[in-house]
Amino acid sequence: MSARLAADALVLLHLAFVAFVVGGGFLAVRWPRTAWAHLPAALWGAWAEFTATICPLTPLENELRRRAGETGYEGGFVEHYLIPLLYPVGLTPGHQRWIGALVVAVNVFAYALVLLRTRRRYGIDRRTGVASMVSNLRGKTP
């Protein structure tokens, strides 16, 4: 695989990861086990935005582009449409903190839906708490 193709694939992977960080909590509403993969991803995404940390995929992508003889993001579909989504012009640490807050807010909402659905599925009353939920999941009454 050429370095350019690898860099383009990495941008697609990066975009998919960002989409998973933002919207993956809603997958957990339907498939609760996805939360095991999503929660660490969401924590990383929020932390990276709050601290203005550069994702490790970014330097790797830039290195692959240099190996391919490229200096920028000009050219095809990936460069024209996807890269501006990941690296918008004028992105500041202040903007990144707002993005981090948005990531947290969207995921808090999504996991509130997960908890609501779980409670409804297992007939858990808000007053009985987690202990009875665990008992109900194991098929025993509290």
Side-chain angles (χ1 to χ4, degrees):
M1 179 177 351
S2 76
R4 177 175 162 63
L5 272 170
D8 289 349
L10 195 57
V11 170
L12 291 173
L13 176 69
H14 201 166
L15 182 63
F17 181 78
V18 169
F20 183 63
V21 164
V22 174
F26 295 104
L27 293 175
V29 173
R30 176 70 174 100
W31 300 286
R33 290 184 181 169
T34 61
W36 291 104
H38 177 257
L39 283 171
L43 289 172
W44 161 255
W47 181 80
E49 292 299 329
F50 285 132
T51 62
T53 298
I54 294 176
C55 179
L57 296 176
T58 303
L60 177 59
E61 176 199 342
N62 288 333
E63 177 59 28
L64 289 169
R65 294 211 181 275
R66 277 192 287 280
R67 288 183 188 175
E70 296 179 8
T71 58
Y73 295 115
E74 301 170 2
F77 174 84
V78 170
E79 292 83 6
H80 186 71
Y81 292 103
L82 298 183
I83 289 178
L85 291 174
L86 294 173
Y87 314 110
V89 175
L91 184 67
T92 66
H95 292 127
Q96 286 183 282
R97 285 189 288 278
W98 278 106
I99 293 169
L102 179 65
V103 167
V104 170
V106 166
N107 283 294
V108 165
F109 177 73
Y111 282 98
L113 292 176
V114 170
L115 289 174
L116 182 63
R117 183 176 174 155
T118 301
R119 287 178 182 270
R120 285 185 182 160
R121 180 182 293 159
Y122 295 104
I124 300 164
D125 189 343
R126 189 170 20 143
R127 293 168 282 156
T128 59
V130 174
S132 76
M133 181 175 89
V134 172
S135 298
N136 287 343
L137 290 174
R138 292 184 182 150
K140 301 175 188 172
T141 55

